[in-house]
Amino acid sequence: SMKKMLAMLLALAMLLTLTGSCAVAEEKIHLTGMCWGSTAQYEQLVADVLATNPELAEKYEVSWVLGGEGDGDSAEKMRLALSANENLCDFVVLNYTQIPEFARADALVDISGAIAPYKETMTESARALTQYEGKTIAVPFEVKTKVWFYRSDIFEECGVNVEDVVDTDSFIAAGKKIQEKYPNSYMWNFGSNVSGYTFYLTLSGNGASFFDADGNYNIASDEGTRKMLEDYKKMVDAGIIANIADWTPDWESALADGTIVSQPCAGWLGQDIFLPTYSGPENEWKVTTWPVIGGTDAGSDAGGSVMAVPTFSAHPQEAAELISYICLSEEGSKCVFHMTGSLPQNTKALEDDSLFADQADGYFGTTFVDAQKAALDKFAIFNYSPNASAEQTIVCEYFSQAVNGHMSIDDALNAAQEDLQITIGNAFE
């Protein structure tokens, strides 16, 4: 009868609803991450991390979108997505440089709850990178400590002991001594357009700031900025700095052929895809901590890269849980170390010597890990403003002019201050 038919249809509909809801419950939560450079490494990282935690592997699947070539491209995509209110991704990899801008705009989710389980096992540098103005809005993905790469074979041959190089003057003296035997060798390279991190590696440790407490630009009278420029120009004038820009074919071949015999930089340069690839197996690069240059041996490159959850995330809590596990759990942070070469920010992983055992046979031997560990005690983050990206574009042009002698330091700093005032106005607005 019709009644029977209706009853059967109703029962069938209920059954379908129930089985449907079961199927939904078992479906994985799909998270999208945004990174820069290449997605391949990150895809591998997530696969490795999820392999350490079956519970999370059942819960999440992750795909990646590319923000662009550099962190600035990812930040620009974020700005566009925020203004269009578009769900671009569930979490994003940024440099700490960009955190003040998005934190001040309330564009990042508070993730203190997700970080809480790892509070006891976080390094000091990790804690610093989670915060901006009292907000907990990021997890440290790669802490970029200041380390110094040098050609140990050439240093030894020329009678230069790296432990005697403690400041700018002894750095110059070492360069001069090497040039007695190798006149076309240099201790560092700047080029006409110096990479921003070259300056900020020193500025981050020597107390430099471009603005006062109210956001008024005062770079012309800032002692830290001046000290950095004076020391960098002193090295250029001494003839120990190669006129070669980073990220050029010339740079790669100079690192390979002994034109550049030392490279004060950050830990990321030691990644397999960088220095070991450029310079070939016969060169004996080793790693140590920086001498005091520009008044400091402390600092970092951009603090480091971090993962954060934008407010447009479709799954903010879940994204926060996953990125906290990736970066801060013992297992997750070990996977990050294998990907980036930067030290894990979980103290248990950091104290696990077996994690570093294979480094002894690696490209730099044990010096890479040892130098980074020593540099963790000298970790410092530059005083970035919400306008940090725009500031960097402006000041680095003048810094390059000053260290290469095309402008006096006074003129460069005055021009930078005027440009900051006209272009941005106030650091906090």
Side-chain angles (χ1 to χ4, degrees):
S1 71
M2 195 68 168
K3 258 186 183 173
K4 236 180 188 175
M5 190 73 135
L6 275 170
M8 275 174 73
L9 284 169
L10 207 64
L12 189 64
M14 276 179 77
L15 189 67
L16 283 170
T17 311
L18 282 168
T19 53
S21 67
C22 289
V24 169
E26 283 167 12
E27 238 174 61
K28 290 184 179 182
I29 296 161
H30 186 88
L31 299 175
T32 305
M34 181 167 71
C35 60
W36 75 83
S38 158
T39 59
Q41 276 186 297
Y42 291 92
E43 285 159 3
Q44 186 59 55
L45 172 69
V46 169
D48 293 347
V49 169
L50 291 179
T52 71
N53 190 320
E55 205 177 307
L56 287 184
E58 274 177 36
K59 192 172 175 181
Y60 298 125
E61 58 181 7
V62 180
S63 61
W64 289 89
V65 292
L66 198 59
E69 273 184 37
D71 57 329
D73 302 318
S74 290
E76 187 52 32
K77 278 209 166 63
M78 276 267 293
R79 289 180 201 111
L80 294 170
L82 285 161
S83 58
N85 202 14
E86 171 204 349
N87 168 230
L88 175 65
C89 57
D90 295 297
F91 62 96
V92 60
V93 183
L94 294 167
N95 265 334
Y96 188 82
T97 317
Q98 287 106 18
I99 289 298
E101 173 191 343
F102 294 123
R104 278 235 165 187
D106 289 323
L108 302 174
V109 174
D110 182 307
I111 56 172
S112 44
I115 282 179
Y118 309 105
K119 262 287 195 293
E120 299 306 306
T121 51
M122 281 165 69
T123 63
E124 285 305 313
S125 43
R127 286 175 212 272
L129 287 171
T130 63
Q131 302 287 317
Y132 179 70
E133 292 190 334
K135 297 175 178 173
T136 304
I137 31 74
V139 291
F141 171 57
E142 186 184 356
V143 171
K144 297 179 181 176
T145 46
K146 268 172 72 161
V147 292
W148 175 26
F149 299 85
Y150 67 99
R151 280 286 298 272
S152 63
D153 48 347
I154 290 176
F155 272 50
E156 200 173 312
E157 190 189 337
C158 297
V160 174
N161 183 350
V162 76
E163 282 164 22
D164 296 337
V165 182
V166 293
D167 55 16
T168 308
D169 289 339
S170 46
F171 187 78
I172 290 170
K176 294 273 191 202
K177 196 167 185 186
I178 288 167
Q179 285 177 342
E180 286 171 18
K181 182 155 189 146
Y182 297 105
N184 299 317
S185 288
Y186 300 89
M187 292 292 280
W188 202 353
N189 62 287
F190 291 167
S192 54
N193 194 1
V194 189
S195 293
Y197 52 77
T198 302
F199 300 121
Y200 281 79
L201 280 158
T202 293
L203 295 172
S204 56
N206 75 0
S209 183
F210 303 159
F211 48 86
D212 65 18
D214 299 317
N216 303 306
Y217 288 109
N218 59 1
I219 189 171
S221 58
D222 181 66
E223 284 177 29
T225 308
R226 182 178 296 274
K227 188 87 183 79
M228 179 274 294
L229 292 175
E230 285 171 356
D231 271 17
Y232 282 26
K233 185 174 189 302
K234 193 178 187 180
M235 294 189 284
V236 171
D237 291 347
I240 61 150
I241 304 290
N243 182 14
I244 296 170
D246 291 359
W247 310 111
T248 59
D250 285 350
W251 182 55
E252 292 182 23
S253 58
L255 289 166
D257 66 17
T259 303
I260 297 173
V261 295
S262 117
Q263 193 81 166
C265 194
W268 53 260
L269 185 64
Q271 283 186 40
D272 289 343
I273 54 173
F274 298 129
L275 190 54
T277 297
Y278 304 156
S279 62
E282 67 287 349
N283 297 342
E284 289 179 28
W285 285 91
K286 296 265 189 291
V287 197
T288 186
T289 49
W290 275 48
V292 172
I293 293 175
T296 187
D297 56 356
S300 66
D301 173 18
S305 57
V306 295
M307 292 188 184
V309 180
T311 45
F312 52 60
S313 171
H315 304 285
Q317 295 316 112
E318 293 85 353
E321 177 188 46
L322 183 65
I323 62 174
S324 296
Y325 182 82
I326 290 173
C327 299
L328 296 174
S329 71
E330 187 176 352
E331 281 72 22
S333 68
K334 285 179 179 180
C335 296
V336 172
F337 168 72
H338 288 305
M339 170 186 163
T340 65
S342 288
L343 294 180
Q345 292 307 299
N346 175 294
T347 50
K348 285 183 178 170
L350 198 53
E351 288 155 13
D352 179 1
D353 290 338
S354 68
L355 178 64
F356 310 115
D358 60 349
Q359 293 285 309
D361 305 320
Y363 190 77
F364 304 103
T366 55
T367 64
F368 189 31
V369 166
D370 292 343
Q372 288 188 83
K373 281 184 173 177
L376 270 184
D377 295 333
K378 300 173 186 292
F379 178 80
I381 304 171
F382 182 69
N383 181 23
Y384 293 108
S385 87
N387 285 294
S389 300
E391 288 165 4
Q392 185 163 331
T393 305
I394 292 167
V395 300
C396 287
E397 204 168 306
Y398 294 109
F399 292 170
S400 289
Q401 300 282 336
V403 300
N404 287 313
H406 304 310
M407 275 178 107
S408 73
I409 289 174
D410 274 339
D411 288 350
L413 289 175
N414 285 319
Q417 178 161 313
E418 195 180 334
D419 207 337
L420 290 167
Q421 286 165 342
I422 292 166
T423 310
I424 300 171
N426 184 286
F428 297 126
E429 283 163 18

